[in-house]
């Protein structure tokens, strides 16, 4: 019986072989390291950022607990808060809203973000830093404000000047350098103005139904008071619709966004790692092809297939481990780059300290994924017979018709899906769903890429067969090299094509979004919005706007009332199975009423009501009907300012987005909302040159009305889109880098054949320059094919995302695609020469002696 080969001996043999072929395997180690670096960098920053949120939770929310609502408290809620105060729980009240402001130097008003605080209590933790330095309680009073520095620039004001808000004058007492809870605040649109509650009352901006975010901060007594859990439970019962957070947890809104972005970017990093693993598999395949003699001899002297597989499994794990450790080091640089990319959104320094767990996780995933993708060449060792040493040159054997190759592919997909599941932040259900989707998408994506690569390479081969005889020999020879025996051109094209596809898809989607934002609005679409119109003044505001130059049509004014759904068809809303998109219906929604059907509104089912009909009826949007499973005739129960109303669904409608009615999920029949506290707002289409004049006139006559120029909002959205796209492109670029290293690995795997080719060509009289051109043509063709294939697939994916998800028309960008092909060709050429530049320097006699 043949003795088993100990792992120790297998590792020693594997190490010797790796040392002898270190140049070839250096590139696959780099490919794995690139994937691990992006993966661990994202997760390392996420972990350190999460720790920072936990460590600075009190400072980030400026209290022990916070409760955020979007309505003024009811008498019952005030009574519950007073009871907590009697138990020793301190509280302070913050109101955040947007409005207009102006200065003496610039008559045109500016959209600002107002934050009303009590400087005697706020903040409970942390410090509001001002310039010139002074405590907040000394700077703020009923007639003074502190502002952000960008407001001074845009309004050409200085400290000590007067700022006009809501028709009232305020003295600028200082500049806000930082505020501890800026990241957890709401409505951070426009320059910041911090004001006292007395000052806010002077402006008259807040009334029942006004659009504002109310945030309560609480500080628990150090001893003798109620427990944190008790206070939280009381707040949850008192404010059932509030977002509540405490210092034991990260902020829920930030955490949710962090989880989703971490999962998304981690999966992109995993794709880069998969490309690296493909490189290891490709290199191992080429390595085993060169070791056929050695393996056959080993089997002749009694070695079993399992023992030989153990040696090369050890080699694979060494490669994965080396790439993982190197990638963990690269991850430090990746993690340190993130704070700078998103520094605009941080009021405190985001730590980039390295976390050990993401590094360990990345190394383990590198070894596992590398081993998975190397299964096919490893298991092929079983099919090598000792007679193989005598069959060199007999051509490849027919493919294995057995079921095993398909089982191996299934194992690779299942294993990769499980790895993707472990990278998902969220519940177990989310992890399993993400893993399944990733495995399916990976299978489909790689199949499409492999098919496209095969078609492109096949087309090149057909082209050579029918090419004119005067085609330069250098070009013909370079393209023919893509079919050299043992060449992994198809795998290299797929790997580089994946990187090109991802990065270009992100670029195309971002460009289309930005062009949509920058582009002119459709005819008739409002470009000016009016918020917080006082009910008694709505007609006066409408008449004033209509009389202004540049207004192309009468303003569209509507009102909204806060209402909450309690039941649908008799089933309480809490018992309905609502997905992520439907959870908003458990909170207060804004509704309106209309007598006549709005223009450009299509009734999909049911019928619009007769204005004379006084029965409570509603018309729901198409999306709302799908989420709540509503049909014409269904019943919806409401709680509107403590009034219970049961309505019948009269119709399901679809409205064009240019109408104010499209902004309401439910429209009530006339008379149902009479007497309810309402807030009015409107929209108008104004010629762009006349918008500033309209803002000035409305601000002078109605200073509490906020006039929003949609161009300003679009600029903010554009900035956010560009930053998000920058982060995604940064991580997606690692897939291109991994693909380039994969190309280098593939070329390094054919180094021995290239040396023989150089010997033959030099013996026949070819110069080094001519050989260099032949290789350059091969590398450029490889990159061009990958770039063309990746760009075409990127166009398809970008069109799918834009049309299906974002409902934006896709336009082919020929310049971007041409530039992509050129860059991919240059990247492949650079990677190819990095792996083979030493081959040209070998002398024919050296190679012949080795033979």
């Amino acid at each position: 019986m043949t003795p088993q080969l100990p792992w120790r001996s297998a590792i020693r043999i594997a190490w010797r072989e790796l040392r002898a072929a270190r140049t070839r395997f250096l590139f696959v180690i780099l490919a794995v390291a690139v994937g691990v670096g992006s993966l661990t960098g994202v997760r390392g920053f996420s972990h350190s950022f999460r720790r920072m949120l936990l460590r600075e939770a009190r400072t980030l929310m400026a209290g022990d607990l916070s409760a955020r609502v979007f309505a003024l408290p009811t008498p019952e809620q005030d009574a519950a808060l007073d009871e907590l105060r009697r138990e020793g729980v301190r509280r302070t009240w913050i109101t955040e809203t947007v409005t207009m402001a102006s200065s003496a130097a610039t008559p045109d008003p500016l959209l600002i973000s107002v934050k009303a605080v009590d400087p005697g209590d706020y903040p409970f933790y942390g410090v509001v830093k001002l310039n010139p330095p002074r405590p907040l309680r000394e700077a703020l009073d009923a007639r003074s404000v502190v502002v952000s520095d960008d407001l001074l620039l845009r309004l050409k004001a200085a400290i000590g000047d007067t700022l006009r808000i809501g028709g009232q004058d305020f003295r600028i007492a200082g500049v806000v350098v930082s505020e501890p809870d800026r990241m957890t605040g709401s409505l951070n649109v426009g320059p910041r103005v911090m004001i006292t509650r007395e000052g806010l009352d002077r402006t008259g901006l807040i009334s029942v139904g006004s659009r504002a975010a109310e945030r309560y901060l609480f500080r628990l007594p150090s001893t003798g008071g109620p427990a944190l859990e008790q206070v939280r439970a009381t707040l949850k019962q008192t404010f059932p619709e509030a977002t509540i957070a405490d210092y034991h947890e990260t902020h829920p809104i930030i955490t949710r966004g962090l989880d989703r972005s971490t999962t998304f970017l981690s999966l992109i990093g995993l794709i880069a790692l998969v490309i690296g693993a493909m490189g290891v598999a490709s290199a191992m395949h080429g390595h085993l092809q060169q070791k056929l003699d050695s393996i056959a001899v080993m089997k002749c002297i009694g070695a079993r297939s399992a023992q030989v597989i153990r040696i090369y499994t050890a080699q694979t794990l060494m490669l994965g481990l080396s790439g993982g450790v190197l990638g963990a080091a690269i991850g430090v640089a990746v993690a340190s780059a993130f704070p700078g990319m998103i520094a605009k959104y941080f009021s405190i320094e985001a730590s980039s300290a390295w976390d050990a767990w993401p590094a360990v996780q990345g190394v383990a995933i590198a070894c596992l994924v590398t081993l998975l993708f190397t299964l096919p060449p490893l298991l092929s060792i079983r099919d090598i017979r000792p007679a193989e040493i005598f069959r060199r040159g007999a051509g490849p054997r027919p493919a294995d018709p057995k079921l095993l190759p398909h089982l191996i592919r299934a194992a690779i997909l299942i294993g990769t899906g499980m790895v993707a599941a472990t990278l998902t932040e969220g519940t177990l259900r989310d992890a399993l769903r993400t893993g399944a989707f990733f495995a399916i998408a990976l299978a489909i994506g790689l199949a499409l890429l492999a098919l496209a690569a095969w078609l492109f390479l096949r087309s090149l081969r057909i082209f050579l067969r029918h090419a004119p005889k005067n085609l330069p020999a250098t070009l013909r020879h370079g393209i023919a090299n893509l079919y050299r025996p043992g060449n992994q051109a198809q795998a290299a094209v797929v790997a580089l094509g994946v990187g090109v596809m991802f990065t270009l898809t992100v670029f195309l989607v971002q460009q289309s979004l930005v062009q949509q934002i920058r582009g002119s609005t459709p005819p008739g679409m409002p470009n000016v919005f009016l918020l917080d119109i006082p009910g008694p003044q709505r007609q006066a505001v409408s008449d004033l706007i209509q009389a202004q130059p540049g207004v192309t049509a009468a303003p569209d004014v509507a009102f909204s009332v806060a209402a909450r759904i309690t039941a649908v068809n008799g089933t309480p809303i809490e018992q309905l199975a609502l997905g992520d998109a439907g959870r908003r219906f458990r909170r207060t929604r804004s509704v309106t009423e209309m007598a006549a059907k709005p223009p450009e509104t299509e009734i999909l089912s049911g019928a619009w009501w007769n204005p004379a009909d006084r029965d409570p009826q509603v018309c729901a949007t198409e999306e709302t009907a799908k989420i709540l499973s509503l049909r014409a005739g269904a019943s919806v129960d409401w709680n509107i300012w403590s009034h219970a109303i049961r309505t019948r669904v009269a119709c399901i409608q679809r409205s064009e987005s240019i109408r104010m009615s499209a902004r309401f999920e439910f429209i009530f029949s006339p008379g149902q909302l009479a007497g309810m506290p309402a807030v009015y707002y409107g929209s108008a289409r104004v010629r762009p040159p006349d918008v500033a004049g309209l803002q000035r006139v409305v601000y002078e006559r109605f200073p509490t009305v906020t006039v929003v120029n949609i161009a300003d909002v679009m600029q903010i959205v554009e900035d956010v889109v560009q930053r998000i796209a920058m982060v995604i492109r940064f991580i997606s670029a690692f897939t291109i880098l991994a693909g380039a290293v994969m190309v280098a690995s593939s070329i390094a795997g054919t180094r021995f054949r290239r040396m023989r080719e150089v010997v033959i060509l030099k013996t026949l009289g070819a110069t080094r320059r001519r050989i260099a051109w032949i290789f350059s043509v091969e590398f450029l063709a490889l990159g061009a094919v990958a770039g063309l294939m990746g760009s075409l697939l990127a166009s398809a994916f970008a069109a799918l995302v834009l049309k299906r998800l974002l409902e934006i028309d896709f336009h082919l960008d020929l310049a971007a695609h041409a530039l992509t092909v050129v860059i991919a060709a240059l990247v492949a050429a650079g990677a190819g020469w990095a792996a083979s530049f030493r081959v040209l320097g070998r002398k024919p006699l050296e190679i012949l002696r080795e033979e």
Side-chain angles (χ1 to χ4, degrees):
M1 182 175 180
T2 305
Q4 293 292 326
L5 180 68
W7 274 106
R8 188 172 182 178
S9 300
I11 292 174
R12 189 166 58 249
I13 298 172
W15 175 246
R16 287 203 197 101
E17 284 199 3
L18 282 180
R19 289 179 59 187
R22 55 183 179 272
T23 303
R24 178 192 314 149
F25 288 117
L26 173 63
F27 292 101
V28 298
I29 291 175
L30 289 176
V32 174
V34 166
V36 175
S38 60
L39 177 64
T40 57
V42 169
R43 302 190 70 77
F45 174 77
S46 176
H47 279 239
S48 61
F49 184 50
R50 200 182 303 273
R51 282 202 314 272
M52 182 270 293
L53 290 178
L54 288 172
R55 184 178 62 251
E56 304 289 343
R58 280 190 170 104
T59 301
L60 288 173
M61 68 177 63
D64 292 320
L65 293 98
S66 71
R68 184 200 314 275
V69 293
F70 291 90
L72 294 173
T74 63
E76 294 79 7
Q77 291 170 335
D78 278 331
L81 294 176
D82 290 339
E83 180 63 29
L84 286 176
R85 184 186 59 192
R86 285 189 287 271
E87 295 179 9
V89 179
R90 295 174 58 190
R91 82 171 184 270
T92 186
W93 180 15
I94 298 173
T95 298
E96 293 170 302
T97 187
V98 293
T99 188
M100 310 298 291
S102 64
S103 68
T106 54
D108 292 337
L110 173 70
L111 182 68
I112 62 171
S113 172
V114 176
K115 181 177 183 178
V117 301
D118 180 359
D121 290 327
Y122 170 85
F124 287 134
Y125 299 96
V127 177
V128 177
K129 296 180 180 179
L130 302 177
N131 187 21
R134 60 192 298 197
L136 184 64
R137 67 181 64 191
E138 295 181 7
L140 282 185
D141 57 38
R143 297 185 177 276
S144 65
V145 295
V146 291
V147 302
S148 58
D149 56 356
D150 54 342
L151 182 139
L152 300 181
L153 293 173
R154 298 182 66 178
L155 290 182
K156 300 178 181 179
I159 296 175
D161 289 352
T162 298
L163 189 68
R164 192 166 182 82
I165 305 173
Q168 303 296 320
D169 291 335
F170 294 86
R171 180 178 57 86
I172 300 176
V175 174
V176 179
V177 177
S178 67
E179 50 186 303
D181 58 335
R182 179 64 186 261
M183 191 164 57
T184 58
S186 302
L187 303 174
N188 293 322
V189 177
R192 166 71 83 206
V193 173
M194 197 174 294
I195 193 173
T196 63
R197 298 212 63 83
E198 294 80 5
L200 182 66
D201 292 339
R202 283 183 59 212
T203 64
L205 294 174
I206 304 300
S207 60
V208 176
S210 294
R211 168 207 31 78
E214 311 291 348
R215 186 155 49 97
Y216 299 94
L217 301 179
F218 301 89
R219 179 164 185 168
L220 276 60
S222 56
T223 58
L228 178 68
E229 293 76 12
Q230 179 184 346
V231 176
R232 185 183 179 108
T234 301
L235 292 176
K236 189 62 179 176
Q237 183 178 2
T238 305
F239 299 96
E241 298 181 359
T243 300
I244 299 174
D246 63 62
Y247 71 90
H248 285 161
E249 62 179 359
T250 60
H251 192 278
I253 296 176
I254 298 175
T255 303
R256 193 179 306 119
L258 181 64
D259 287 345
R260 292 175 179 175
S261 59
T262 300
T263 298
F264 176 70
L265 295 177
S266 295
L267 293 179
I268 295 180
L270 178 59
I271 291 172
L273 178 56
V274 166
I275 295 175
M278 291 169 55
V280 175
S282 175
M284 189 59 69
H285 173 78
H287 182 60
L288 291 176
Q289 291 298 311
Q290 291 189 20
K291 293 295 180 179
L292 286 178
D293 294 355
S294 300
I295 295 173
V297 169
M298 291 171 66
K299 287 191 173 185
C300 282
I301 60 177
R304 293 183 176 181
S305 295
Q307 294 172 330
V308 181
I309 290 175
R310 178 170 292 192
I311 294 172
Y312 291 100
T313 300
Q315 279 189 359
T316 299
L317 292 175
M318 286 179 186
L319 294 173
L321 182 62
S322 301
V325 172
L326 180 60
I330 295 174
V332 175
V334 176
S336 63
F338 271 90
M341 290 184 174
I342 52 181
K344 183 177 181 179
Y345 304 104
F346 292 93
S347 58
I348 61 178
E349 183 179 354
S351 171
S352 59
W354 186 245
D355 191 345
W357 170 242
V360 173
Q361 186 183 28
V363 173
I365 290 175
C367 293
L368 176 60
V369 174
T370 301
L371 186 60
L372 279 174
F373 278 84
T374 318
L375 280 177
L378 288 178
L379 294 180
S380 67
I381 294 175
R382 301 178 314 137
D383 299 326
I384 298 177
R385 301 290 183 263
E388 190 77 28
I389 195 171
F390 304 113
R391 299 178 67 246
R392 183 180 291 113
R397 290 179 300 145
D400 190 351
K402 298 179 182 177
L403 185 62
L404 183 61
H406 303 289
L407 294 178
I408 294 174
R409 296 186 185 99
I412 292 173
L413 290 177
I414 294 173
T416 309
M418 293 175 63
V419 171
T422 64
L423 299 177
T424 303
E425 304 288 343
T427 63
L428 177 61
R429 180 180 179 183
D430 294 336
L432 293 177
R433 182 174 56 184
T434 301
F437 284 160
F438 184 86
I440 294 172
L442 180 66
I444 295 174
L446 290 180
L448 290 176
L449 287 165
L451 177 61
W454 181 84
L455 289 175
F456 275 119
L457 294 174
R458 184 71 176 175
S459 300
L460 286 177
R461 197 166 192 172
I462 294 174
F463 166 76
L464 281 184
R465 289 177 180 174
H466 299 85
K469 295 182 179 180
N470 60 352
L471 187 70
T474 301
L475 180 62
R476 184 186 295 274
H477 195 163
I479 295 177
N481 274 358
L482 295 174
Y483 308 101
R484 179 191 289 107
N487 200 347
Q488 298 292 309
Q490 184 171 339
V493 167
V494 170
L496 185 57
V498 168
V500 171
M501 180 189 69
F502 262 93
T503 307
L504 185 59
T505 299
V506 174
F507 174 79
L508 293 176
V509 171
Q510 179 219 355
Q511 286 295 101
S512 297
L513 284 173
V514 172
Q515 289 175 5
Q516 180 78 3
I517 293 170
R518 290 176 177 173
S520 59
T521 55
M525 180 176 178
N527 59 351
V528 171
F529 291 88
L530 300 99
L531 311 177
D532 295 335
I533 303 174
Q537 298 177 345
R538 62 183 184 276
Q539 189 59 47
V541 171
S542 179
D543 294 340
L544 176 66
I545 293 174
Q546 192 168 357
Q548 299 307 306
V551 179
T552 59
D556 188 4
V557 179
F559 73 92
S560 67
V561 172
R564 186 168 65 87
I565 300 175
T566 57
V568 176
N569 290 324
T571 303
I573 189 70
E574 294 79 10
Q575 298 180 11
L576 294 179
L578 303 177
D580 291 340
R583 292 176 184 172
R584 66 180 187 272
F585 291 104
R586 293 174 179 168
R587 301 188 295 268
T588 299
R589 314 301 301 161
S590 293
V591 299
T592 192
E593 69 176 33
M594 296 181 182
K597 182 173 74 69
E600 301 181 30
T601 295
E602 178 185 0
I603 302 299
L604 303 179
S605 64
W608 194 264
W609 45 75
N610 187 330
D613 190 354
R614 295 302 176 188
D615 293 334
Q617 301 177 73
V618 294
C619 194
T621 64
E622 181 181 18
E623 179 190 10
T624 301
K626 289 180 179 179
I627 294 174
L628 298 179
S629 301
L630 296 178
R631 295 182 180 181
S635 65
V636 181
D637 293 348
W638 301 83
N639 184 306
I640 307 177
W641 292 94
S642 301
H643 291 77
I645 300 178
R646 170 166 290 185
T647 59
R648 181 180 65 85
V649 178
C651 59
I652 308 299
Q653 55 92 8
R654 179 192 299 150
S655 295
E656 295 293 334
S657 60
I658 65 172
R659 306 299 305 177
M660 292 291 291
S661 59
R663 290 161 174 78
F664 295 99
E665 294 158 329
F666 288 95
I667 301 176
F668 279 63
S669 58
Q672 307 307 317
L673 305 178
M676 303 290 183
V679 59
Y680 289 80
Y681 53 93
S683 63
R685 177 72 179 182
V686 185
R687 288 197 303 265
D690 297 314
V691 172
L694 174 67
Q695 286 181 308
R696 188 183 313 118
V697 171
V698 173
Y699 181 70
E700 291 172 353
R701 288 279 304 276
F702 305 99
T704 62
V705 175
T706 302
V707 182
V708 180
N709 183 359
I710 197 65
D712 295 336
V713 178
M714 286 182 173
Q715 183 60 48
I716 294 173
V717 175
E718 180 179 333
D719 291 342
V720 173
V721 169
Q722 289 180 338
R723 281 185 177 267
I724 293 173
M726 179 179 64
V727 173
I728 297 175
R729 283 203 305 268
F730 175 71
I731 296 300
S732 297
F734 279 85
T735 59
I736 286 187
L737 183 57
V741 179
M742 168 66 176
V743 172
S745 171
S746 173
I747 293 170
T750 60
R751 182 169 175 268
F752 180 72
R753 290 188 174 91
R754 289 179 186 278
M755 288 191 297
R756 292 174 57 87
E757 180 181 349
V758 169
V759 167
I760 295 173
L761 291 175
K762 284 186 175 181
T763 303
L764 294 177
T767 63
R768 293 180 60 178
R769 182 178 180 181
R770 186 179 185 87
I771 298 173
W773 273 112
I774 291 174
F775 283 179
S776 296
V777 168
E778 176 187 355
F779 303 152
L780 291 172
L782 191 69
V785 169
L788 183 58
M789 177 190 67
S791 63
L792 291 177
L793 291 175
S795 293
F797 282 120
L800 182 65
V801 170
L802 291 171
K803 291 184 178 181
R804 295 293 184 182
L805 300 182
L806 303 178
E807 297 183 355
I808 297 176
D809 291 335
F810 172 74
H811 300 286
L812 189 64
D813 189 345
L814 294 178
H817 287 75
L819 183 61
T820 298
V821 173
V822 172
I823 292 176
L826 294 177
V827 167
W833 278 116
S836 58
F837 74 96
R838 294 176 57 189
V839 173
L840 287 180
R842 300 298 298 271
K843 299 184 180 301
L845 193 56
E846 295 179 10
I847 308 301
L848 293 175
R849 282 175 177 172
E850 292 177 2
E851 290 289 315

